[in-house]
Amino acid sequence: MSQTRRRPQDIGREAEYELAQILWRAGYTAFRLPASGKGHRPDLIAVRYSNGKHEVLLIEVKTRSDLREIRIPEPKYRFMEALAKRAGAKLYLAVKVRGWKQWSLIPFESLAVVESGGKRYRVATRDTIVDWLGGLVLLLKR
């Protein structure tokens, strides 16, 4: 019997739903955006009302089978930065390495700038991903 291989977009979608459920259980109203992964929009939006204020999170979700860097093209980074400013939101890159239990939740401002092939990227290095491992737990405890 042959085993069908899951498509990368299905794996990513499942991770987005998993993170949305974690945020929902922590008191956020969290939604996966339609057509996430296409264009410049974030994958998830999460909102929570606490201490008389709304907290808005825009989250780009990435999954990896191993620990390697993640690149976000500069145009997408700039668009999401402008969107966050307009909405008064905080921007995060959420990384799920398959086989790991914890998520790495990295503030966008912690991403390094790299130029390659004449293009600019914002990069989460292997070290950055490991440094922010458990970042989701810290966010949810606030």
Side-chain angles (χ1 to χ4, degrees):
M1 183 174 221
S2 69
Q3 186 176 6
T4 53
R5 194 177 153 126
R6 294 188 310 163
R7 299 178 314 166
Q9 58 265 40
D10 293 337
I11 294 168
R13 185 179 317 111
E14 289 168 12
E16 291 166 5
Y17 281 122
E18 177 186 331
L19 182 56
Q21 288 173 354
I22 291 168
L23 291 165
W24 192 274
R25 287 192 301 266
Y28 285 88
T29 301
F31 295 99
R32 177 183 177 268
L33 294 177
S36 72
K38 295 180 174 59
H40 295 317
R41 65 184 70 133
D43 295 318
L44 293 176
I45 294 179
V47 180
R48 175 171 71 175
Y49 187 76
S50 178
N51 299 323
K53 291 194 266 184
H54 282 95
E55 179 182 19
V56 181
L57 311 176
L58 301 179
I59 305 171
E60 180 69 13
V61 179
K62 298 290 184 187
T63 59
R64 291 289 184 258
S65 59
D66 57 9
L67 188 58
R68 64 182 193 273
E69 76 176 20
I70 295 170
R71 292 181 173 207
I72 297 175
E74 187 71 14
K76 180 170 188 156
Y77 179 91
R78 290 284 172 221
F79 177 83
M80 288 182 59
E81 191 176 54
L83 185 61
K85 184 176 180 181
R86 183 176 184 164
K90 296 175 187 165
L91 275 173
Y92 289 98
L93 171 63
V95 181
K96 178 70 172 185
V97 178
R98 283 179 255 152
W100 292 15
K101 291 183 181 183
Q102 289 186 323
W103 285 79
S104 187
L105 191 68
I106 306 163
F108 256 48
E109 61 267 13
S110 296
L111 301 176
V113 178
V114 172
E115 294 203 23
S116 175
K119 294 183 180 180
R120 264 179 94 140
Y121 297 93
R122 297 298 175 126
V123 176
T125 64
R126 294 171 57 154
D127 290 341
T128 305
I129 295 168
V130 171
D131 288 347
W132 286 95
L133 190 62
L136 180 60
V137 173
L138 295 174
L139 173 77
L140 298 181
K141 286 185 177 181
R142 295 189 306 182

